[in-house]
Amino acid sequence: MFKNLDPLLHSQLRLAIMSLLVTVEETEFSYLKEKTQASAGNISVQLEKLKEADYIKIEKTFKGKYPLTKCSITKKGINAFEEYINSLQQYIQPNK
């Protein structure tokens, strides 16, 4: 009856990152840091895990002399997020 929840998305910070990315086409690292209130190091580690799963793309460039990291969700990431939400619904409303 209950589907397994994606362990990659079941982490609070990774779920927050995916929730933010699913609402935008692309965003900067600083936006994710501001919205999640997590440390830069922790966000970097979690972004790398999501990238390894091909849930997100990371683009590193420069804005003037400063590094600029942009993130976007992939089609696979959108599908995984939607499946996670649908599975979670079964736990919240098991009789539907």
Side-chain angles (χ1 to χ4, degrees), residues 1-11 14-15 55 80-92:
M1 179 170 147
F2 293 106
K3 291 183 182 178
N4 289 334
L5 297 175
D6 184 338
L8 192 61
L9 296 180
H10 206 56
S11 154
R14 287 192 296 267
L15 182 58
Y55 286 2
F81 183 80
E82 288 174 349
E83 187 174 317
Y84 179 85
I85 296 302
N86 289 335
S87 296
L88 196 55
Q89 286 290 343
Q90 290 181 336
Y91 288 84
I92 297 167

Side-chain angles (χ1 to χ4, degrees), residues 1-42:
M1 179 170 147
F2 293 106
K3 291 183 182 178
N4 289 334
L5 297 175
D6 184 338
L8 192 61
L9 296 180
H10 206 56
S11 154
Q12 183 177 348
L13 182 54
R14 287 192 296 267
L15 182 58
I17 290 168
M18 291 293 284
S19 296
L20 291 167
L21 290 177
V22 81
T23 64
V24 296
E25 186 173 323
E26 179 179 76
T27 193
E28 294 180 9
F29 182 90
S30 59
Y31 175 79
L32 296 174
K33 186 173 182 298
E34 173 191 332
K35 292 296 184 184
T36 62
Q37 296 293 301
S39 69
N42 197 0

Side-chain angles (χ1 to χ4, degrees), residues 68-87:
L68 178 65
T69 301
K70 292 184 180 180
C71 304
S72 59
I73 195 166
T74 63
K75 188 85 160 165
K76 182 178 178 181
I78 291 169
N79 291 338
F81 183 80
E82 288 174 349
E83 187 174 317
Y84 179 85
I85 296 302
N86 289 335
S87 296

